Amino acid sequence: MKIISALAAAAGLTASLLTALPAHAADEAPTNLKLSWKAPGSESIVVSWDEATPVSNVISLRKRGETAVYKTWTTTADQPNSVEIWNAWPADYGSTAGRDAPLEFVVAAGSLGAEAVSAAFDANAPQRPVLVSSTLAASGAMTVKWRSPAWTDTTPNDPLDLNLPVTYQVTYDPTNSSYYDVKIGGRTTATQMTYTLRSAYSLSVTAYNEWRGVTANMLSTLGSSVAAKVPAWAVYGRESAVTGTYTPAYEQRQIVLQARNTSTSAWYTVSSAKFSNGKFSFPFGTGGSRQYRVVAPATWYGSSRAYQAITPTTSSTTQFDVFGFFASPQIGTYDRNTAGVYIYPQANTTATLQRWNGKTWTTVGPVQVKNGTGKGYIIAPKAGRTAYRYYIPATMYGGARFAAAYTNTFVNNVIPGMAGPCLPSQGCTYSTGPR
């Protein structure tokens, strides 16, 4: 009996405990749910609400009108009725959900309680900047212009809209490695930037709004160089060349040979051509004595800009190409032989005919040269062989200076002829020197 009574008593107790528990009432939904920024320029969003009775809360981020939750946060009953949320969470979710997908925060009373839903908002980053133009000045200054495409705000005037202009930060990577960015100036609302960099780099522009920044590569530049060998001395019309190399060498490139007649005069183009494989060659030796340089103009290789490169200035002297001769291979004594001279380019000047006396060169006399041709005349009273040459002084031609030159040595071969000179009384005239 005791055992039964005990069992009965136990059973009665259990029944009374089960029936004594009242039904659990659902927690009321939070009210006055608000979204705001913690402070201007802050990266924290504040989600706040009111509630009649302190309870734990579950805060969720989701697409507007959907039940699937992207991320949740929780509070306990004794914590404030607000949470700070890093703006990267909705920004990242917005980038994956799509620009046209509004988001919302939901605050639930307890894990299963009633919910309060926030106003819809977007967390869209600005549109990625697009390059408009890039201009490289002769000074080396680069001006880059860009634009940020317009987009439609799907939740205009939502609680998290700041309605501030997009700002931009220009940076460059000096090693083209994408690991080391250097700022050029600070944040700006301008959509262009002028700067000067001499080394290879890649340039980026990041557009910022209240949510985050998006970066676009604007351009990259390549190291550029040019080296040239300019002959220090050349003879007009003789085969010679300005040769050299340029980098980068894997693309065709326009190379320009420039010259100027004095150290203070303007540069002008002598020749220009496209070359491949990093090497170039220009014919040389027809321009006179002047200064030269080689220019590799700035150019684009795809989306990469190669800087202009210029060689140091080099002076080169161009000499007349000259030739002296006797019209007759041999003459008799007291006969006249023509000592001719040709010079190229065909300038007008006064040449000097010279004779070798066995010890040194002596002056015979001046000979006028017109359009590149001159003639002197020799009458020799004695048989024998005598060497002659012409000296042509430095002369301006076509605005350029050509250096002085000596002709080859040419020989007047005189054999016995008349016993004496033909006198004027006999109807003869002659010259004892060039005329």
Side-chain angles (χ1 to χ4, degrees), residues 11-345:
L13 176 60
T14 302
S16 66
L17 288 174
L18 291 174
T19 57
L21 291 174
H24 186 275
D27 292 322
E28 295 181 12
T31 59
N32 199 27
L33 177 53
K34 295 180 180 179
L35 305 180
S36 62
W37 292 95
K38 182 178 180 180
S42 170
E43 294 183 348
S44 294
I45 299 166
V46 177
V47 180
S48 63
W49 62 93
D50 294 332
E51 56 191 7
T53 303
V55 293
S56 61
N57 299 103
V58 178
I59 302 94
S60 304
L61 174 64
R62 68 189 186 190
K63 287 185 185 179
R64 184 69 164 177
E66 296 188 1
T67 57
V69 172
Y70 175 67
K71 185 171 177 60
T72 61
W73 297 260
T74 60
T75 64
T76 61
D78 58 350
Q79 287 181 312
N81 293 338
S82 65
V83 290
E84 291 183 12
I85 296 174
W86 185 28
N87 67 348
W89 288 113
D92 289 345
Y93 186 37
S95 66
T96 58
R99 297 190 70 88
D100 295 330
L103 307 180
E104 63 187 15
F105 281 104
V106 178
V107 179
S111 59
L112 300 174
E115 297 178 337
V117 180
S118 74
F121 68 95
D122 68 80
N124 293 329
Q127 294 278 41
R128 196 175 302 277
V130 176
L131 178 66
V132 174
S133 65
S134 62
T135 306
L136 184 63
S139 63
M142 180 79 81
T143 298
V144 176
K145 297 181 180 181
W146 63 89
R147 63 181 178 87
S148 200
W151 60 281
T152 301
D153 189 347
T154 56
T155 59
N157 300 315
D158 70 54
L160 296 177
D161 276 348
L162 294 183
N163 296 318
L164 297 176
V166 174
T167 59
Y168 302 93
Q169 178 64 62
V170 180
T171 60
Y172 74 95
D173 171 12
T175 60
N176 281 325
S177 66
S178 299
Y179 295 114
Y180 178 47
D181 291 333
V182 179
K183 292 181 179 179
I184 302 178
R187 293 269 192 99
T188 177
T189 57
T191 55
Q192 72 175 54
M193 174 73 72
T194 299
Y195 60 92
T196 301
L197 294 171
R198 301 294 184 184
S199 58
Y201 66 92
S202 61
L203 187 85
S204 298
V205 174
T206 302
Y208 291 93
N209 66 3
E210 61 266 33
W211 290 104
R212 64 174 183 168
V214 289
T215 301
N217 182 55
M218 293 289 106
L219 59 88
S220 61
T221 61
L222 303 172
S224 183
S225 67
V226 62
K229 294 181 180 179
V230 179
W233 191 273
V235 177
Y236 179 87
R238 302 284 180 89
E239 186 174 344
S240 185
V242 174
T243 61
T245 59
Y246 65 87
T247 62
Y250 49 79
E251 295 280 357
Q252 275 196 337
R253 189 162 190 184
Q254 194 78 22
I255 304 296
V256 182
L257 176 63
Q258 295 183 336
R260 62 183 181 184
N261 295 336
T262 68
S263 60
T264 57
S265 60
W267 290 101
Y268 55 89
T269 297
V270 176
S271 185
S272 178
K274 280 190 174 182
F275 296 93
S276 302
N277 302 318
K279 296 181 179 180
F280 63 86
S281 178
F282 291 104
F284 184 76
T286 60
S289 302
R290 49 190 179 178
Q291 293 184 331
Y292 291 89
R293 69 180 185 183
V294 174
V295 179
T299 187
W300 285 101
Y301 292 129
S303 61
S304 298
R305 182 81 165 174
Y307 278 124
Q308 174 176 276
I310 304 176
T311 64
T313 299
T314 302
S315 295
S316 179
T317 300
T318 301
Q319 185 183 48
F320 281 115
D321 186 12
V322 295
F323 177 71
F325 61 93
F326 276 113
S328 299
Q330 67 179 24
I331 59 172
T333 53
Y334 293 105
D335 287 341
R336 189 176 73 169
N337 206 353
T338 300
V341 61
Y342 295 141
I343 70 172
Y344 302 95

